[in-house]
Amino acid sequence: MTAAAPPPLGLAVIGHVNHGKTALVRALTGMETDRLPEEKTRGLSIALGFAFREDPAGDIDFLDAPGHEDFIRAMVMGAAGARAVLLVVSGVEGFGRQTREHLRIAGLLGLRDGLVAVTKADLVSPQARDDLRVQLAAELSGSFLAPAPIVFCSAVTGEGLKALGREISALALRTPPPEPLPGVFLPLDRVFSLAGTGTVVTGSLQGADLQAGTEAVLEPSGRRVHLRQLQVHGQAVAAARAGGRVAAALRGVAPEEVRVGDVLCTTGAFPSSQRIDAELELTPDAARPLRSGDEVRVLWGARQDLARVRLIGASALEPGGSGLAQLRFASPVPVHAGQRLLLRRPSPAATLGGGRVLDPVAPVLRSRTLEARRELLAVASEGRLEPIAEALARRDGGAVSATEAARLSRRPAEEVRSRLARTFVRLDEDLFAPESAVQSAMQAYLDRLGEAHHAHPMRAFVALGALRGGLSRTLSRELIVHVEGRLADSGEIRIERGQAALKGHDPFATLSPDQRARLGEIESTCREGGMTPPDASVLAGDADSAALLGLLVESGRLVSLRNHALRQTLVFHRDALDAALRDLKAAFPPPAEFTTGEARAALSTSRKFIVPVLEFLDARGDTVRRGDLRQVLHPRNRFGPEPVPH
């Protein structure tokens, strides 16, 4: 079997203006990255440039970032699409102000490996090179490039270019592969139109590989598009590898409907939001602390946005410090969990620090849930699924949303559902619960039911709505329903007519002799009343009698009916209602039909009682109503009219 080709390496080429970045890339690749007329006229890069070099260790995509401080956004755009950096330092001028700024920004954006190329080496004497190495070591000390190889080279004479090429190959081999994401994520850094092709977009591909001929969505607009064609390094391809540059021809959208900074992504995988939760770090030389309410400019991917800061768990973030915060935007932004960001002061422009997105679709922060939110974000910063799921279960009453767990852990939702199903209990298509949470919920349900029986021993059942409502203060409703079903299946509880009881609960066993005697009196009075039962309010004249009457109704010996027209509750004995059905069947043998008045006369009762009785028989399936007429149904045909014989 042929081994898969290594993934392409995005290499951000950074450094001070006029230190020879573009000339070095041209010498390494034979390609010109300055493509704008103004760049060629001024000899100054003002936009992100692109070139590539084929390499056995994987194709190298050079992202040539402008060195001038006015074009920090373009530099961030290049670094955001890279997995390593090539820091370019002029051998003549040494470290410049933007060299330091670019190096710091690259570190804030999460880059952790790279090389240092000292250009214009043909103008540097051997003695000066030794001094320069010492200076570079001091400048790089404490940065992620402190251990990086330093290569002296010249784009003019070709000195050091082969050595630099070998170091780039070694860098490609040791750089970790692109971070997996739950789908395609392509921040767009160029949008244009080509005759015969239509709308074309380009970017550095992240997440999953991109397939030609598929559907995708543009965020934050939500517009669906079809990928007509893909190109990598100017060649049409069926699929583009994550980690490299790609150009995509889109069907279904005009160029003016797409903006630089939009994201082409897998449908439903990266919804846009006006709130994101992130962990932030301020640079030690930040001019002042960061406080809630401050406005910041956020640079990430190929876009920049203004946001208001709401710190989580702190009143201020001091220079050199780190902490959690929510960033709030005027309009939705498309980002993914784990995405790096740069914070800048809007005016005067200056870098404040950086950060990493923890939740790209964050909820509104509330004081009462702030501690749970802080706990969840602390776990999410590690990106491990199981701890995230456990934290979600603690926050949400034992239930875990697979969709949210996937978003926070940066994994595809189907993978998360599959993994959770191995050790968690499935509540529905998207919700799971740890077995420990299920066991705790079952015990809580039994305890709650036992407390209700203790408080009202003469009640045979407890309404499910009351049980669920009380438990829902601490437990997920889906988890409550799940454990309710488990307990019923195991026989630990009984459920009848929307009510529940413990299997051993017998309210009749708790009655005193006097209560038993009074219970018998109430039942006998209702039985003897037949179709003209006594007034329920008289039967329930005191609290004890009312409880006993309720017990008889709950046990099914008595039936409580409602006369809605008179707004009265009537209580019949079950035997009386069964006798009424027999009398109606005798008076009006099926298929004979009868009116309400005829039924009232047959049962020797009044309209006050006959209407709720007939409605009860209809609901029970003993009779069926058609307009003003009713018919008694045969037992075998209680769910519809009798079949017509042929």
Side-chain angles (χ1 to χ4, degrees), residues 60-83:
I60 311 298
D61 284 325
F62 293 85
L63 310 171
D64 183 8
H68 198 281
E69 63 180 339
D70 291 342
F71 307 116
I72 289 294
R73 180 185 177 186
M75 180 267 160
V76 172
M77 193 182 298
R83 289 187 287 129

Side-chain angles (χ1 to χ4, degrees), residues 550-623:
L551 175 57
L552 287 167
V553 171
E554 286 184 335
S555 67
R557 298 186 194 180
L558 302 184
V559 179
S560 177
L561 302 181
R562 184 72 177 169
N563 187 316
H564 296 284
L566 300 179
R567 298 181 180 178
Q568 289 183 335
T569 297
L570 311 173
V571 180
F572 294 82
H573 198 281
R574 171 74 63 176
D575 293 348
L577 293 172
D578 291 340
L581 177 62
R582 290 194 297 271
D583 293 344
L584 285 173
K585 187 174 182 180
F588 310 103
E593 296 180 322
F594 55 90
T595 64
T596 301
E598 290 171 334
R600 175 175 53 79
L603 299 179
S604 301
T605 187
S606 67
R607 185 171 181 82
K608 170 183 175 180
F609 298 111
I610 192 62
V611 171
V613 167
L614 291 176
E615 290 175 348
F616 169 77
L617 295 176
D618 291 343
R620 199 170 69 171
D622 295 316
T623 58

Side-chain angles (χ1 to χ4, degrees), residues 84-359:
V85 300
L86 176 60
L87 180 67
V88 176
V89 182
S90 167
V92 176
E93 300 178 36
F95 252 67
R97 188 161 63 89
Q98 287 307 114
T99 314
R100 298 184 183 92
E101 176 78 347
H102 280 202
L103 179 59
R104 179 170 58 176
I105 290 174
L108 290 170
L109 291 175
L111 292 168
R112 292 294 178 263
D113 205 348
L115 303 170
V116 179
V118 181
T119 56
K120 307 179 184 179
D122 54 308
L123 304 178
V124 184
S125 67
Q127 177 60 42
R129 293 188 186 193
D130 292 338
D131 295 340
L132 187 54
R133 282 186 183 276
V134 174
Q135 295 172 16
L136 290 177
E139 291 282 2
L140 296 172
S141 177
S143 78
F144 71 94
L145 284 184
I150 299 175
V151 181
F152 282 79
C153 52
S154 170
V156 175
T157 65
E159 177 191 350
L161 293 182
K162 289 185 178 180
L164 183 59
R166 289 193 296 271
E167 291 292 352
I168 291 173
S169 296
L171 177 63
L173 288 173
R174 71 173 181 263
T175 301
E179 181 182 10
L181 292 175
V184 169
F185 192 88
L186 180 66
L188 306 183
D189 49 41
R190 291 182 66 198
V191 180
F192 54 94
S193 179
L194 284 179
T197 301
T199 303
V200 178
V201 298
T202 69
S204 296
L205 181 59
Q206 303 169 33
D209 293 349
L210 188 60
Q211 308 290 327
T214 58
E215 300 292 329
V217 64
L218 286 167
E219 292 288 355
S221 68
R223 182 183 291 274
R224 292 175 181 266
V225 294
H226 180 81
L227 306 181
R228 296 178 55 191
Q229 184 185 16
L230 299 180
Q231 282 194 4
V232 173
H233 301 158
Q235 301 296 316
V237 294
R241 298 284 304 279
R245 296 288 303 172
V246 61
L250 306 182
R251 179 187 295 125
V253 64
E256 59 271 18
E257 296 174 311
V258 188
R259 300 175 59 185
V260 169
D262 287 353
V263 176
L264 182 73
C265 54
T266 302
T267 303
F270 304 99
S272 300
S273 170
Q274 288 181 251
R275 294 180 301 275
I276 69 109
D277 286 346
E279 52 182 358
L280 305 179
E281 58 175 318
L282 259 58
T283 59
D285 59 351
R288 62 179 179 82
L290 184 66
R291 302 184 186 278
S292 289
D294 285 353
E295 186 178 57
V296 294
R297 188 177 301 279
V298 185
L299 285 75
W300 39 14
R303 62 183 297 123
Q304 60 177 346
D305 301 277
L306 290 176
R308 288 284 176 188
V309 177
R310 165 79 186 275
L311 296 178
I312 302 174
S315 58
L317 194 57
E318 300 293 335
S322 61
L324 300 173
Q326 184 167 99
L327 301 178
R328 300 172 178 176
F329 302 87
S331 56
V333 294
V335 295
H336 64 78
Q339 186 167 344
R340 293 283 179 165
L341 58 91
L342 186 74
L343 293 181
R344 300 264 291 174
R345 184 187 298 117
S347 181
T351 298
L352 297 175
R356 184 166 60 110
V357 176
L358 298 180
D359 190 348

